[in-house]
Amino acid sequence: MSTAAKQKAKAAGIRLDDDSMDTPSEPLAPRTAPGQLIGLQGRVHSQQAEIEKLKRALEQRAPGKLPLEKLHEIPGRRRRLTSAEYAELKANLTAYPLAQPITVRERPDGEYDIVAGHNRAAVYRELGRTEIDGIVLDIDDSMVEYAAFFSNLLSPTLSDFEKFWGFKSLQESTGITKEELAKAAGISDSHVGRIMKFDLLPSESKDLLATCPERLGSNAAEQMAKAVAEGREDKVKAAIERLVSDNTFTQAQAVAATKADRAPRDRHEPMVIRRGARKVCQISARNGVVGVSFSGSAADEADQWAEKIRVFIEAELGKQ
């Protein structure tokens, strides 16, 4: 399964409510459209409240020291960093204190599953550290992916494509609007709108970008989405495929490769005929039209030259 498909599967698996019933039978779902809408709005409101609660916990809860030997990595949750990004992170953490605590969730055995901060924990282990600053979150299963996303959202290294997948998961699981999403994430509506342009790219291209999310930013994605809308999907697919496979190929070159083909310009320069230093006439040819323009006193001879041109053309045609 592709990374993009896994992301969609995660979003599809998140429940919109935590209601449980002790009675043996499930309540009947509303059958009318108004009833279904009211039920959906209630679940969306509940989920939004949980997101706000989670954000406050991430922003306000004081970190504590956590033993690295008790931290466990969850497969598939670790952010993918390039070798250069990982080396930069390691150099930073070697020289400076941890600026952003990791977030974890306590396990029944008293140890912890890492929610966000796998790379920071890995670097600390490589540096021989025994503890790391962390925030312990008391959240249920449905909110773990949100916690990972909002924790990473604070990182300046989070790529636009990774933000897109996080935003898309939130939208699909809660039904919140773009404006509500922007408010929850604390960024502008226009920024969220631009990031969501990734969704207009071909599915194959999104699968490729999921393997190298840092290769395409939201500005370039927005221009490529426009190219798709204008019927140049094949150009977009080819450009993104090369962008992912060729590190020397830049975003600007990728965007340029998706532009519409321009009609070739007529580069024929006018031909000037002179009598000595004096200009007699100028001949131009463009789009099947030959024009002869006489200058000065030669203009009085234009009719005579027109007749000579006719005779010449007829003579040439007679040779064919």
Side-chain angles (χ1 to χ4, degrees):
M1 182 182 290
S2 67
T3 304
K6 290 179 181 177
Q7 292 283 3
K8 290 181 180 178
K10 289 179 181 178
I14 296 176
R15 296 177 57 190
L16 290 179
D17 61 72
D18 298 315
D19 294 338
S20 61
M21 299 292 290
D22 294 329
T23 54
S25 60
E26 294 292 331
L28 294 176
R31 296 189 179 185
T32 64
Q36 292 172 346
L37 178 59
I38 292 172
L40 175 60
Q41 288 173 337
R43 292 193 297 272
V44 168
H45 178 75
S46 174
Q47 193 75 353
Q48 285 181 271
E50 288 297 317
I51 292 173
E52 288 300 321
K53 179 181 177 181
L54 171 61
K55 285 191 63 186
R56 287 195 297 271
L58 290 171
E59 294 168 354
Q60 299 173 3
R61 188 162 298 184
K65 296 293 184 182
L66 299 174
L68 284 164
E69 63 180 12
K70 291 189 176 183
L71 301 185
H72 299 270
E73 180 172 330
I74 303 301
R77 191 178 293 165
R78 182 172 180 171
R79 276 195 60 216
R80 179 187 179 279
L81 298 181
T82 64
S83 56
E85 288 172 336
Y86 189 84
E88 183 180 353
L89 176 64
K90 186 172 182 178
N92 181 275
L93 294 180
T94 300
Y96 303 103
L98 184 66
Q100 183 184 342
I102 68 170
T103 52
V104 301
R105 187 181 181 214
E106 190 170 6
R107 294 157 46 124
D109 60 7
E111 300 196 352
Y112 305 93
D113 287 334
I114 300 175
V115 174
H118 296 78
N119 290 298
R120 282 163 276 167
V123 167
Y124 261 48
R125 288 191 177 102
E126 291 179 11
L127 295 175
R129 311 279 175 82
T130 60
E131 294 181 323
I132 189 170
D133 290 336
I135 297 174
V136 181
L137 296 175
D138 181 16
I139 55 177
D140 59 34
D141 291 340
S142 68
M143 299 305 294
V144 171
E145 295 301 327
Y146 295 153
F149 173 66
F150 278 118
S151 294
N152 286 324
L153 185 63
L154 301 176
S155 170
T157 62
L158 189 68
S159 70
D160 285 343
F161 187 79
E162 289 172 295
K163 291 177 183 177
F164 155 67
W165 272 124
F167 287 152
K168 184 175 176 63
S169 296
L170 292 180
Q171 271 199 316
E172 290 181 347
S173 60
T174 66
I176 60 178
T177 65
K178 178 171 68 69
E179 291 74 18
E180 292 170 330
L181 190 56
K183 182 179 179 181
I187 59 179
S188 68
D189 293 353
S190 59
H191 190 182
V192 172
R194 185 167 61 251
I195 286 175
M196 295 308 292
K197 295 294 184 181
F198 278 105
D199 206 22
L200 302 179
L201 299 179
S203 297
E204 302 94 317
S205 299
K206 287 184 285 190
D207 287 342
L208 282 174
L209 287 172
T211 66
C212 293
E214 74 284 353
R215 291 294 287 147
L216 187 68
S218 59
N219 288 323
E222 184 174 32
Q223 296 182 65
M224 289 188 172
K226 181 179 179 182
V228 171
E230 293 174 351
R232 298 190 297 279
E233 182 173 323
D234 288 343
K235 285 178 176 280
V236 171
K237 289 180 180 179
I240 292 178
E241 183 175 355
R242 183 176 174 187
L243 190 66
V244 170
S245 62
D246 183 359
N247 287 331
T248 66
F249 194 55
T250 66
Q251 291 189 51
Q253 290 172 322
V255 170
T258 67
K259 298 295 185 183
D261 295 327
R262 294 184 177 181
R265 292 183 178 180
D266 191 345
R267 297 181 180 276
H268 293 298
E269 296 293 333
M271 296 171 283
V272 177
I273 299 176
R274 299 179 184 276
R275 181 180 292 162
R278 184 167 61 88
K279 177 180 177 181
V280 176
C281 68
Q282 176 176 292
I283 303 174
S284 62
R286 177 173 296 180
N287 298 328
V289 177
V290 177
V292 183
S293 176
F294 289 90
S295 303
S297 59
D300 297 335
E301 304 173 9
D303 291 340
Q304 300 173 33
W305 281 110
E307 179 61 22
K308 291 179 181 181
I309 291 171
R310 182 189 66 77
V311 172
F312 171 76
I313 292 175
E314 289 180 347
E316 288 297 309
L317 291 175
K319 296 177 184 179
Q320 297 178 3

